[in-house]
Amino acid sequence: MLILGIETSCDDTSVAILRADPPSQRLRRASDKLEVLANVVSSQIVTHAPYGGIVPLLAAREHERNLPLVLSAALSSSKGLTMRDIDLIAVTSGPGLIMSLVRGVNFAKELARKYNKPLIGINHMEGHIYSNFLSTIHYPLFPALCLIVSGGHTELVLMRDHGQYELIGHTVDDAAGEAFDKIARILGLGYPGGPAIAAEAAKIENVNLKMKNDNVKLKIELPRPMLHSKNFNFSFAGLKTAVLYLVRDLTAPLDDVRAEIAHEAQEAIVDVLVSKTKKAAEKFKPKSILLAGGVSANKLLRSRLQELCSMLHVLCSIPPLEYTTDNAAMICAVAYYKTREEADLSAATRRWRAEADANWEIA
Ligand code: KG4
Ligand code: ZN
């Protein structure tokens, strides 16, 4: 079975092709074998960087221009496959920027009509979760506690089985990725902020070694919002404001302390994410902890979560780096698990919606 995935929820245009086992073989297997034949991502960072964030109108225009190019790149890198070989088209339908979503959904509908293929709309956040099912080494065990951290979402979700989600915590204001992006802007670092802050913070790791030897401590301390609250919710707006005031009231040049602030901001965000996950894991006793979303590319977060999992003796599932930020391979993976019991995809297509919905929540 070949699934073509299309992802345009934000500022990345991506098309992927996934090969999955045909039904007869699949049912006899203990685990599903998925093979990503292509996962082409066209980034719009260069377009949006001068504005310090995503400009929705520009994003939509870029998707429109890039979609046919990214599709042909995906097909030609997949052993000469053509649209006729595809069994199912999957497209991200939400949540995301409405104008971006509409471009992808319309493109997918047009392809489905032209080549007479079944079409299914996929939730973007579910896509991030399923980036953990693309690697064939360790499949997450259920129940899984999912820490979803992206530019627009920060959620703790309990996943009892495929497609079954219970929201147990969420951000009450900014998402973790948004905090990285906003703090990066205050510090005069580039867009996207996550990788920029991580790179700036890494400068301090090196200096830190020297400082530790000299017994010098870092001076800058930022708050860990809601660290001790009784629920599993997050808040990052206060942290951003604390950085804003810190920079406003600096007596030293920002150049002298930028790396130190970036280092402490990253520590604060990761501390909160990992502590809340620990609390939730102690209550819900999952068999695996699963990390998802663009912020899962963060090295510090990846290693702290791994440490937590070893301490709690639960399986740790962290997506390979190439599937952490927005990509269409993860959309194909959701489509596969949603449709693998269907005997007739064409008949089932009438039940599946593929309409852009900017606010589509999974739980
Ligand atoms: O999932 P994603 O690609 O797009 C959304 O669905 O929002 O996530 C994008 C977010 C951005 O806020 C970006 O700054 C953050 O992921 N991000 C990172 C890293 N790489 C991307 N945050 C921290 N460290 C990183 N290495
Ligand atoms: Zn995303």
Side-chain angles (χ1 to χ4, degrees):
M1 179 186 187
L2 289 169
I3 304 175
L4 179 93
I6 298 169
E7 157 66 44
T8 63
S9 66
C10 196
D11 63 336
D12 288 310
T13 315
S14 179
V15 175
I17 298 171
L18 181 84
R19 187 197 299 281
D21 289 339
S24 52
Q25 290 171 30
R26 195 195 307 145
L27 294 176
R28 281 183 241 124
R29 278 180 189 272
S31 60
D32 303 75
K33 186 169 171 282
L34 306 183
E35 186 189 355
V36 178
L37 301 182
N39 184 38
V40 181
V41 182
S42 168
S43 161
Q44 299 180 7
I45 287 178
V46 179
T47 307
H48 302 286
Y51 303 93
I54 298 159
V55 184
L57 211 64
L58 291 182
R61 193 194 66 188
E62 289 292 294
H63 286 312
E64 184 120 29
R65 202 169 59 91
N66 292 333
L67 272 164
L69 306 173
V70 177
L71 172 66
S72 51
L75 286 169
S76 56
S77 64
S78 302
K79 302 170 190 164
L81 290 175
T82 69
M83 275 308 296
R84 301 194 195 285
D85 300 311
I86 300 296
D87 298 296
L88 173 67
I89 300 175
V91 63
T92 303
S93 307
L97 299 173
I98 190 65
M99 285 192 288
S100 291
L101 289 166
V102 166
R103 293 306 181 284
V105 168
N106 285 350
F107 185 74
K109 279 186 177 171
E110 189 53 34
L111 281 180
R113 196 194 49 74
K114 187 168 168 194
Y115 295 100
N116 194 25
K117 303 289 177 188
L119 172 68
I120 184 167
I122 298 294
N123 184 292
H124 179 76
M125 302 320 291
E126 221 174 341
H128 276 303
I129 290 175
Y130 275 81
S131 60
N132 284 277
F133 291 82
L134 282 167
S135 143
T136 47
I137 304 161
H138 290 299
Y139 286 92
L141 301 168
F142 299 121
L145 177 65
C146 311
L147 173 64
I148 310 172
V149 271
S150 71
H153 285 72
T154 297
E155 290 176 351
L156 274 167
V157 167
L158 194 63
M159 183 179 183
R160 296 192 192 279
D161 202 342
H162 287 292
Q164 289 181 25
Y165 310 102
E166 186 189 335
L167 181 70
I168 57 173
H170 61 96
T171 181
V172 296
D173 41 53
D174 292 351
E178 199 177 348
F180 271 110
D181 294 337
K182 287 180 174 171
I183 292 171
R185 207 178 309 167
I186 297 169
L187 295 180
L189 296 166
Y191 167 83
I197 291 210
E200 190 67 17
K203 294 181 187 167
I204 258 319
E205 312 291 4
N206 306 333
V207 178
N208 210 9
L209 278 179
K210 188 171 154 283
M211 283 175 135
K212 266 186 191 150
N213 293 341
D214 295 342
N215 248 345
V216 183
K217 279 211 174 100
L218 289 181
K219 301 168 292 297
I220 289 168
E221 275 181 25
L222 289 169
R224 270 72 174 151
M226 292 181 74
L227 190 64
H228 301 295
S229 68
K230 294 228 164 4
N231 54 31
F232 305 112
N233 290 340
F234 305 88
S235 162
F236 293 104
L239 176 64
K240 170 208 66 193
T241 311
V243 175
L244 189 70
Y245 291 155
L246 181 73
V247 171
R248 188 194 63 185
D249 301 336
L250 275 179
T251 47
L254 179 57
D255 282 351
D256 292 356
V257 285
R258 187 182 283 108
E260 208 174 321
I261 301 175
H263 182 275
E264 172 64 2
Q266 178 175 248
E267 287 282 337
I269 294 171
V270 170
D271 268 358
V272 176
L273 292 173
V274 175
S275 314
K276 289 281 172 160
T277 307
K278 177 171 181 276
K279 251 187 210 171
E282 283 163 356
K283 173 160 181 198
F284 294 100
K285 310 247 177 299
K287 290 202 176 123
S288 58
I289 293 179
L290 184 158
L291 184 60
V295 182
S296 69
N298 186 274
K299 265 195 198 163
L300 184 72
L301 177 59
R302 292 166 83 91
S303 69
R304 291 268 169 90
L305 207 73
Q306 244 145 10
E307 282 165 27
L308 173 68
C309 291
S310 327
M311 195 183 90
L312 298 174
H313 304 292
V314 296
L315 183 83
C316 192
S317 182
I318 294 181
L321 267 183
E322 63 192 303
Y323 302 129
T324 51
T325 47
D326 293 349
N327 67 87
M330 67 186 195
I331 302 305
C332 293
V334 181
Y336 168 70
Y337 279 97
K338 284 217 179 293
T339 61
R340 64 181 174 160
E341 311 293 334
E342 299 285 353
D344 183 347
L345 294 176
S346 298
T349 199
R350 270 172 249 118
R351 283 187 274 117
W352 302 328
R353 65 177 192 157
E355 296 303 331
D357 176 356
N359 303 310
W360 183 10
E361 299 291 343
I362 53 169

